[in-house]
Amino acid sequence: MNENPNAAPTNFIRQIIEQDIGSGKNGGKLHTRFPPEPNGYLHIGHAKSICLNFGVARDYAGGLCNLRFDDTNPHKENMEFVQAIQADVKWLGFDWQERLYYASDYFEQLYQFAIELISKGKAYVCDLTPDEAREYRGTLTEPGRDSPFRSRAVEENLDLFKRMRAGEFKDGSRVLRAKIDMASPNINLRDPILYRVRHGVTHHQTNDAWCIYPMYDYTHPISDALEGITHSLCTLEFEDHRPLYDWVLDNISIDCHPQQIEFSRLNLQYTIVSKRKLAQLVSEGHVDGWDDPRMPTLSGLRRRGFTPASILTFCERIGVTKADNLVEMSLLENTLREDLDSRAPRAMAVLNPLKVVISNYLEGQTEHLSAANHPKDESMGSRELTFAREIYIDQEDFREEAPRKFKRLVTGGEVRLRNAYIIKCDEVIKDEAGEIVELRCSYDSETLGKNPEDRKVKGVIHWVPAAESLQAEVHLYDRLFNEPLPGSGGVDFLTQLNPDSLRTLTHCRLEPSLRDAKPGQRFQFEREGYFCVDSDTDADGKRVYNRIVTLRDSWAKIEQEAKRKG
């Protein structure tokens, strides 16, 4: 039974595991694995599988979880992806301890099991070209036809397969196929390929030792069995592959036979979780690499400023089911807001500066004011703000004329500066083009920390001192696509990229307390949103901040309006 009172809520997989442990199946052991292919970076969909596989191993006494790279296609795999995947799993807080494996660790054993299948008449070498093989395979409604090479003698198949390994044949000229049933309604059982020839590529683990490579559907069940996996948890697209998973293990001499259990994959609005399409975005330059903060990759989310806790909570909230569903992006964003609200210290940043000169404040005078780092958490302490004659406010916080509902600064009106005084706008200075370049204001020296009884000031705006503020570049990130289901209905998903997914502001000003902020640190810029110091920030004074998420769901009204019109 589950012995962790703080474990995640139950689901059908946990119920199966509890029944198996309770009945003594597998000797009462639980052993899972997370088996990514190192052909790209992990994305938010993988986080669900990571949390499930490592999570159940953590939550049940004696549970173990391996990290295994299913590295059977060296044309698309490399060490960059291997290292990135390990970093992502660690970032989420999981530890595979000494259990780091590669499917390539088992290449010799996989080869010997293939020899066994051939010897039993369960596999054969086929010379059909790829086009011919597709023709013989049949369709979803028509059975396939036996390959003319299906009846080859065992001795001939053994000889040809050994020569395949020796490198005698060209790519695509021969494959090893399982001999199952070309008339099966499950197309995965129509004599699937087990091995193919691959010359001219160096494997990141085995170098040039092999020129034949096993297929995923053959490698995966054997790797699971060799590692003693008890529960092989995978997403629903592998449900039709389960009979092949079982066939492989039933027809070789191996004692362990893991149970494959499928669950629904994570489908998230306004993004894609196809590794092929994500690779296309990178290779064609639509984004700035796999860790672009607009990408749904874990490295992109980390660079943007997501917290591991928010992703773990999100995965827990969406649950584990058998039915595919589409998760609203707002659920992920709101989970992130909840987490950042409690942990992110506050600061002030002016993204679109407008200079304000406080005329009745002495030139050269400065004043040190105190501001809480978090309004609900005194343990986070306070910071010092420098108040001076010249400050910056945001351009959006001033209007020469404004409707009554505008609760910020207007000509002749008053507003409170956050953690400081009430000021009044007395004069507007414009350039030759008629653009506002400066405001002349006066302050009320009696309003620090208190409101005057004779007037009611409704608005509060943020500010920074002009002289001591820090210049920064700020990246305002938004959803990568402007459609909830990119690519649906046969539309090219690239045509649905959001042109406003990134806006770069280069003249932002930050309060001086952020001078020593390091890459990865997160803050709430008051009234603006949550921001993270980007990895491009350097010791030479270049400061770059990424907007993690806005303070409120700005897409809610957009989506409601779209539904109303639709």
Side-chain angles (χ1 to χ4, degrees):
M1 296 295 290
N2 189 336
E3 298 183 5
N4 184 351
N6 298 316
T10 190
N11 53 59
F12 79 97
I13 288 180
R14 286 178 177 266
Q15 291 169 358
I16 292 172
I17 289 172
E18 290 181 4
Q19 290 171 1
D20 290 346
I21 292 174
S23 68
K25 184 179 179 181
N26 305 307
K29 296 179 181 178
L30 170 64
H31 200 154
T32 62
R33 81 291 170 269
F34 174 61
E37 297 173 74
N39 57 3
Y41 281 53
L42 299 182
H43 52 63
I44 185 67
H46 291 111
K48 179 178 179 179
S49 181
I50 293 170
C51 292
L52 177 58
N53 280 285
F54 280 96
V56 295
R58 173 199 61 202
D59 292 343
Y60 294 90
L64 300 173
C65 183
N66 298 352
L67 174 62
R68 180 180 72 239
F69 292 98
D70 278 340
D71 53 344
T72 60
N73 188 357
H75 278 284
K76 296 183 178 181
E77 301 164 353
N78 60 53
M79 282 304 295
E80 175 191 349
F81 298 143
V82 169
Q83 292 166 357
I85 289 169
Q86 291 184 59
D88 288 340
V89 175
K90 287 181 178 178
W91 177 65
L92 286 177
F94 296 107
D95 183 7
W96 54 88
Q97 299 171 322
E98 75 285 356
R99 295 179 306 280
L100 173 63
Y101 302 108
Y102 296 84
S104 55
D105 295 340
Y106 315 125
F107 275 1
E108 183 60 40
Q109 290 157 288
L110 290 161
Y111 176 79
Q112 293 301 329
F113 282 127
I115 293 290
E116 180 183 354
L117 288 172
I118 296 171
S119 301
K120 291 179 175 178
K122 299 288 187 179
Y124 62 97
V125 175
C126 182
D127 299 1
L128 290 177
T129 68
D131 288 341
E132 290 171 338
R134 278 190 289 271
E135 181 184 346
Y136 273 77
R137 193 182 191 194
T139 66
L140 293 175
T141 57
E142 297 179 355
R145 293 179 290 143
D146 287 355
S147 164
F149 306 99
R150 199 174 195 264
S151 59
R152 270 180 167 149
V154 168
E155 293 75 15
E156 184 181 3
N157 284 317
L158 287 172
D159 176 66
L160 288 172
F161 187 53
K162 291 174 182 177
R163 291 166 63 192
M164 284 172 61
R165 177 177 182 173
E168 292 187 25
F169 306 122
K170 295 180 180 179
D171 289 11
S173 61
R174 284 189 164 94
V175 296
L176 181 70
R177 298 176 67 177
K179 187 185 290 187
I180 308 180
D181 182 5
M182 289 302 295
S184 173
N186 186 338
I187 207 164
N188 295 295
L189 296 179
R190 295 181 187 175
D191 291 9
I193 296 174
L194 304 182
Y195 270 87
R196 74 282 203 206
V197 179
R198 287 285 187 271
H199 288 289
V201 60
T202 298
H203 191 281
H204 56 87
Q205 295 296 315
T206 60
N207 296 315
D208 300 318
W210 293 86
C211 64
I212 58 171
Y213 288 94
M215 299 298 290
Y216 178 89
D217 277 345
Y218 171 70
T219 306
H220 189 75
I222 298 176
S223 300
D224 280 352
L226 289 171
E227 293 175 14
I229 301 304
T230 59
H231 298 78
S232 181
L233 311 179
C234 56
T235 47
L236 276 176
E237 62 262 36
F238 292 100
E239 186 172 30
D240 289 340
H241 296 248
R242 192 197 321 149
L244 178 56
Y245 182 102
D246 292 333
W247 183 92
V248 169
L249 296 180
D250 287 342
N251 285 281
I252 61 174
S253 301
I254 199 164
D255 294 331
C256 179
H257 192 134
Q259 178 184 2
Q260 178 174 306
I261 308 171
E262 304 86 15
F263 60 93
S264 62
R265 65 183 294 175
L266 170 58
N267 297 303
L268 187 64
Q269 284 184 339
Y270 295 100
T271 192
I272 53 176
V273 288
S274 160
K275 214 184 287 186
R276 178 183 60 82
K277 291 181 178 179
L278 293 175
Q280 184 179 350
L281 290 175
V282 174
S283 63
E284 295 181 2
H286 300 288
V287 294
D288 186 22
W290 286 94
D291 70 340
D292 186 304
R294 293 168 291 180
M295 290 277 274
T297 56
L298 295 182
S299 58
L301 296 173
R302 178 166 65 250
R303 181 176 176 183
R304 182 158 170 172
F306 274 69
T307 62
S310 66
I311 294 177
L312 297 178
T313 302
F314 170 70
C315 290
E316 180 180 312
R317 287 178 177 176
I318 61 176
V320 177
T321 66
K322 266 281 191 182
D324 271 327
N325 61 334
L326 183 63
V327 179
E328 294 184 1
M329 177 65 80
S330 59
L331 178 58
L332 175 61
E333 292 173 339
N334 286 333
T335 303
L336 177 62
R337 288 186 184 99
E338 290 175 14
D339 188 49
L340 291 174
D341 179 60
S342 64
R343 73 171 69 237
R346 277 38 172 179
M348 292 193 291
V350 175
L351 305 187
N352 298 286
L354 174 60
K355 189 175 183 179
V356 173
V357 177
I358 302 174
S359 306
N360 61 337
Y361 199 87
L362 294 177
E363 289 190 35
Q365 178 182 342
T366 59
E367 192 173 350
H368 296 302
L369 309 177
S370 179
N373 286 328
H374 197 290
K376 303 174 186 176
D377 188 351
E378 293 183 359
S379 68
M380 295 181 71
S382 62
R383 66 195 191 279
E384 188 177 86
L385 304 176
T386 302
F387 190 75
R389 177 182 171 87
E390 295 184 359
I391 63 173
Y392 289 119
I393 66 170
D394 198 282
Q395 294 175 16
E396 292 299 312
D397 284 335
F398 175 75
R399 294 286 186 274
E400 286 190 90
E401 297 180 5
R404 291 180 60 185
K405 291 185 178 180
F406 186 78
K407 296 181 180 181
R408 287 165 276 178
L409 190 59
V410 297
T411 306
E414 291 185 323
V415 71
R416 176 174 289 281
L417 298 175
R418 183 76 167 164
N419 300 302
Y421 300 96
I422 291 174
I423 62 171
K424 178 180 180 181
C425 179
D426 303 313
E427 183 181 0
V428 179
I429 309 298
K430 300 182 180 181
D431 61 15
E432 295 179 354
E435 297 294 325
I436 299 173
V437 295
E438 184 179 303
L439 302 179
R440 299 290 173 86
C441 297
S442 54
Y443 87 113
D444 185 338
S445 61
E446 300 298 319
T447 57
L448 182 62
K450 56 185 178 181
N451 291 315
E453 296 181 359
D454 57 338
R455 60 193 190 276
K456 190 173 184 180
V457 179
K458 296 182 179 179
V460 179
I461 63 174
H462 58 285
W463 58 279
V464 295
E468 295 189 21
S469 61
L470 312 171
Q471 185 165 337
E473 179 176 297
V474 172
H475 298 160
L476 301 180
Y477 290 107
D478 210 329
R479 299 181 182 184
L480 186 56
F481 293 91
N482 52 26
E483 291 292 332
L485 289 169
S488 63
V491 177
D492 182 358
F493 76 103
L494 294 176
T495 65
Q496 298 173 325
L497 285 165
N498 179 10
D500 296 320
S501 62
L502 169 61
R503 289 192 295 128
T504 300
L505 306 178
T506 56
H507 297 94
C508 306
R509 310 296 299 196
L510 314 178
E511 66 172 64
S513 70
L514 296 173
R515 186 178 306 279
D516 297 323
K518 300 294 189 295
Q521 284 189 269
R522 307 172 187 88
F523 301 90
Q524 185 195 101
F525 287 170
E526 300 194 40
R527 303 177 64 241
E528 294 289 358
Y530 294 98
F531 292 76
C532 178
V533 185
D534 187 70
S535 55
D536 273 354
T537 293
D538 56 44
D540 295 329
K542 179 185 178 183
R543 296 180 177 85
V544 181
Y545 280 76
N546 300 325
R547 184 172 68 188
I548 313 170
V549 68
T550 57
L551 292 176
R552 297 178 181 83
D553 184 0
S554 57
W555 281 76
K557 290 184 178 180
I558 297 174
E559 292 169 342
Q560 289 175 1
E561 182 65 17
K563 289 179 181 178
R564 187 185 65 81
K565 291 182 178 179

